[in-house]
């Protein structure tokens, strides 16, 4: 039996999941959320605690984690790609950005 990769995604509206262990590039990892399961092939190594895209995200689109908007994609993000400061623009606490909430 192979390695059992561990991830977490809290809300079906999320477009990122979190690595609960170091995950290697090329791994096909399970992502389970409220009874829905999908598999995501990683295109980069993902370190413990870091985010990866569970679906393609267009540049400028909101990034959702735990059902909350945490920022906007500063570039196009592929499914399985690492989501971090290099492709995520934070909007929390910025007076020039309108913050909305996902229901």
């Amino acid at each position: 039996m192979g390695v059992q990769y561990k991830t977490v995604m809290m809300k079906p509206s999320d477009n990122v999941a979190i690595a609960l262990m170091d995950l290697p590039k090329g791994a096909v990892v399970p992502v389970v959320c409220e009874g829905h399961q999908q598999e995501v092939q990683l295109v980069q190594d993902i370190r413990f605690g870091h985010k990866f895209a569970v679906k393609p995200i267009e540049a400028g689109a909101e990034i959702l984690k735990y059902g909350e908007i945490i920022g906007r994609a500063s570039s196009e993000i592929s499914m399985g790609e690492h989501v971090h400061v290099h492709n995520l623009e934070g909007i929390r606490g910025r007076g020039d950005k309108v913050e909305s909430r996902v229901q």
Side-chain angles (χ1 to χ4, degrees):
M1 190 167 168
V3 176
Q4 291 187 325
Y5 297 115
K6 296 178 182 174
T7 66
V8 66
M9 186 171 108
M10 299 300 292
K11 300 287 183 180
S13 60
D14 291 352
N15 50 15
V16 297
I18 310 303
L20 296 180
M21 60 190 295
D22 288 344
L23 302 172
K25 175 182 177 179
V28 177
V29 299
V31 177
V32 180
C33 180
E34 296 185 8
H36 173 73
Q37 180 170 339
Q38 71 180 86
E39 291 184 333
V40 176
Q41 184 167 14
L42 302 177
V43 297
Q44 297 169 306
D45 290 335
I46 309 296
R47 303 275 303 171
F48 169 77
H50 283 240
K51 300 173 291 299
F52 61 93
V54 297
K55 59 181 105 178
I57 304 171
E58 294 181 16
E62 294 172 334
I63 299 195
L64 301 160
K65 174 181 154 186
Y66 305 145
E68 297 287 329
I69 298 167
I70 61 166
R72 288 196 185 0
S74 59
S75 61
E76 186 175 300
I77 303 171
S78 301
M79 184 165 82
E81 188 176 339
H82 185 214
V83 177
H84 201 52
V85 296
H86 66 284
N87 56 11
L88 166 70
E89 176 187 29
I91 59 173
R92 288 185 175 175
R94 289 188 55 174
D96 62 333
K97 302 288 181 180
V98 175
E99 198 171 325
S100 59
R101 208 178 185 116
V102 175
Q103 299 297 325

